[in-house]
Amino acid sequence: MIEKLTQAFPRAGRWLPLVCLLALFGIFTVANLGVFEMLIWDEAEYACLGRSLARGEGYTAPQNADELRPPLLPLSIAASLLVTGQETDIAAKIPTPLFAMLAITAVYAFTLHACGVWPAFAAAFCLAVAPEFLTRAEMLLSETPFVAFHTIALGAFLLGFEGRRGWFQVGWAAFALALATRYTALLFGPTLVLIALYELVRGNLASALRTRAFWLSPLWAVAILAPWFYRQWLVYGDALVGVKRASGQIPDYNLAVMPWDFYLATLPEAMTWPGAVLGCVGLLYSAWRRRPLGVYAAIATLVIIGWHTQYDFKEVRLVAGAWPLLAIGAGFAVEAWMRAVSNGWPRYAPAALLVVAAVLSALQVRFVFQNYWVLGEPSFLDAMAYMKQNTAPDATILGPNPAQIQWYADRPAHTIPKEEKDFWTAADGAEWLVLTNFERGQPLYVGKFAAEVTLTHQMAGDAAEFVDPRFRTLAVRIELLLRKHGTVTSVDSR
């Protein structure tokens, strides 16, 4: 079918499969943007930054999240909130499926250039139905835009080294946008070094070094990134403060020690078994056959997975940049099969594998949609609705999860101090204290405050409790605690 369309419409037929795939993917992801009914901590930080930008309040979020979070995703959220005129979870999430479709397009376009229409469609399809990729497209996290721009950067550098020098500009711009989304993009540095060595062997590096485009194209990255790093220097006195914080997050996260082969073992979970097998076989085959795009994808995959394997803590989404590259590998595997088997029904075996991948993905994604819930949902949402209704817009709230409090209550929020001796100083400028039974970072000493709240206090409006079968959220007036503990502060009577 695809081959007939290509013959009938030489130009349109090459892109029609992608258009159909994007249409189906877009309809599914947009229709399910509300499937997760509450934003997790990271999502709430991005949402708060985006809302702050949309309101013209600057790049601000609770607890110096603006120090850590690069600007591209918050800027896209701000644009979405302004265009839709709403400040809801769904309005904030709209850019994520668009970034996902950009990643699918990049995989299709570069595989099309290297292999042809049918392998390109197979590659794009493998990425589109990858359960982790599909699930992340419904969430407000940086993985999705990162994989889009990282993939574009990789393919653009390939085209640049193959003689289309203008693509170096695209590559550096895409790298800058990837870095403005997630600091993991710095791994593109060692990737590019290995690619340069490969191009040295191919004989393309020397000719590229003699061109003006090669040396001037990094200015695109400088132009895109300079405002952000200048802002970091102005605000924090250190242009690299976000990079430094990000570099310590995973090493300092010692909740668990995971096996060294965690990422290899979870590839089927992320890509489905057919997608993972086709991807790995395709990358190995294309690298062995010295197919440039396959070599690039294999190098970048090894760098991404290899780097994150060194840490004790591992999480599937941390190697999201490898998913489009494995999808490209699947395209090479399909191309190899089509060349080896030219006639008869075995020629369509890859199509059967893609169908199996789609079915497995549908089952896995459906299970996630039906069984995934955010810590605190739904009682925490009810508590924040109460806060929004019963406090002034400038009322400050203390809580263990300030980003979620600020997003849902739309009130200034600060974290509860770790030490009890610092609590009353923080409480001096706050009106309410929010306590939960689900936030791991909540200090133990605040448990005694929760124990002091009685039904009488709730009836008097000094406290409110919200409970569901799993979670509990308690809101307590700071004034009540001040009266009970006899602490002298400058808090006005409320």
Side-chain angles (χ1 to χ4, degrees):
M1 176 66 72
I2 294 177
E3 293 170 351
K4 292 180 180 179
L5 286 172
T6 304
Q7 294 171 1
F9 306 98
R11 293 185 178 180
R14 288 166 60 85
W15 296 99
L16 185 58
L18 173 65
V19 172
C20 295
L21 179 62
L22 290 179
L24 293 174
F25 183 89
I27 291 171
F28 177 84
T29 51
V30 172
N32 287 283
L33 278 179
V35 68
F36 304 132
E37 298 179 2
M38 178 175 157
L39 302 183
I40 62 175
W41 184 306
D42 291 5
E43 291 180 293
E45 287 188 345
Y46 286 119
C48 287
L49 287 167
R51 183 173 63 186
S52 178
L53 288 169
R55 291 177 175 179
E57 298 171 351
Y59 197 77
T60 59
Q63 300 308 119
N64 290 338
D66 49 313
E67 170 189 303
L68 174 66
R69 306 295 180 188
L72 190 140
L73 184 55
L75 285 170
S76 66
I77 294 169
S80 179
L81 299 182
L82 290 172
V83 170
T84 61
Q86 300 179 6
E87 295 181 346
T88 63
D89 291 3
I90 292 179
K93 287 181 179 181
I94 288 175
T96 315
L98 300 181
F99 285 124
M101 288 188 280
L102 178 61
I104 293 170
T105 301
V107 167
Y108 184 93
F110 292 125
T111 311
L112 176 66
H113 172 74
C115 304
V117 175
W118 173 237
F121 177 77
F125 188 85
C126 275
L127 180 61
V129 302
E132 281 291 328
F133 180 78
L134 195 54
T135 302
R136 300 297 165 186
E138 310 292 359
M139 304 180 76
L140 197 60
L141 295 170
S142 59
E143 287 82 16
T144 304
F146 167 74
V147 300
F149 292 116
H150 181 268
T151 305
I152 294 171
L154 199 69
F157 270 94
L158 171 61
L159 295 179
F161 277 117
E162 289 186 339
R164 304 183 186 184
R165 307 305 185 192
W167 280 91
F168 282 130
Q169 301 175 29
V170 177
W172 279 107
F175 160 73
L177 292 172
L179 188 59
T181 303
R182 192 173 180 85
Y183 291 125
T184 309
L186 289 172
L187 290 179
F188 196 72
T191 299
L192 197 54
V193 170
L194 294 175
I195 286 173
L197 293 175
Y198 169 69
E199 292 297 347
L200 177 64
V201 175
R202 284 181 76 195
N204 290 336
L205 181 61
S207 59
L209 291 174
R210 290 193 293 268
T211 63
R212 180 183 301 177
F214 180 86
W215 295 105
L216 294 181
S217 54
L219 294 177
W220 283 90
V222 173
I224 292 171
L225 293 172
W228 169 248
F229 287 110
Y230 179 64
R231 180 262 177 194
Q232 295 288 79
W233 177 74
L234 284 179
V235 176
Y236 296 104
D238 184 356
L240 301 179
V241 61
V243 178
K244 294 175 181 177
R245 271 194 63 187
S247 66
Q249 277 191 310
I250 299 176
D252 294 342
Y253 203 64
N254 296 320
L255 285 182
V257 177
M258 314 228 177
W260 70 269
D261 63 341
F262 173 85
Y263 290 118
L264 297 178
T266 54
L267 280 182
E269 174 188 338
M271 301 288 296
T272 73
W273 272 105
V277 171
L278 286 173
C280 292
V281 170
L283 286 185
L284 291 173
Y285 169 80
S286 59
W288 174 63
R289 298 287 297 189
R290 299 180 183 178
R291 301 289 295 277
L293 180 60
V295 173
Y296 274 48
I299 289 173
T301 300
L302 287 174
V303 169
I304 292 171
I305 294 180
W307 178 266
H308 287 92
T309 296
Q310 68 177 304
Y311 299 117
D312 290 337
F313 175 77
K314 299 176 178 69
E315 191 176 5
V316 174
R317 69 188 182 100
L318 295 178
V319 296
W323 303 338
L325 310 179
L326 286 163
I328 290 173
F332 278 106
V334 169
E335 181 204 35
W337 182 266
M338 291 176 64
R339 287 184 175 181
V341 182
S342 57
N343 296 307
W345 65 265
R347 178 178 172 81
Y348 300 100
L353 285 177
L354 294 181
V355 172
V356 173
V359 172
L360 292 176
S361 176
L363 294 174
Q364 185 173 330
V365 171
R366 181 185 178 187
F367 177 83
V368 172
F369 284 1
Q370 291 180 343
N371 294 277
Y372 178 91
W373 66 81
V374 179
L375 296 179
E377 175 195 346
S379 60
F380 178 79
L381 295 177
D382 296 334
M384 293 305 100
Y386 177 87
M387 288 284 94
K388 193 171 184 178
Q389 183 178 358
N390 291 278
T391 61
D394 61 347
T396 300
I397 301 172
L398 291 181
N401 51 342
Q404 292 170 308
I405 292 172
Q406 184 160 318
W407 174 250
Y408 287 110
D410 197 7
R411 300 291 184 267
H414 301 290
T415 193
I416 302 172
K418 295 183 181 297
E419 303 295 334
E420 184 174 1
K421 63 184 177 61
D422 300 320
F423 175 80
W424 299 111
T425 301
D428 187 32
E431 292 189 18
W432 285 83
L433 173 67
V434 169
L435 304 175
T436 73
N437 70 339
F438 57 84
E439 183 52 56
R440 293 189 299 266
Q442 181 170 282
L444 294 177
Y445 71 83
V446 297
K448 65 181 181 182
F449 297 150
E452 293 171 354
V453 175
T454 66
L455 182 60
T456 302
H457 297 139
Q458 295 185 46
M459 294 178 64
D462 287 329
E465 185 178 30
F466 303 85
V467 182
D468 62 57
R470 291 184 295 265
F471 306 113
R472 173 176 179 256
T473 301
L474 176 66
V476 186
R477 283 188 185 273
I478 295 292
E479 183 186 3
L480 172 64
L481 300 178
L482 296 175
R483 291 198 305 265
K484 292 182 72 66
H485 290 267
T487 303
V488 179
T489 72
S490 60
V491 176
D492 296 331
S493 177
R494 299 176 177 89

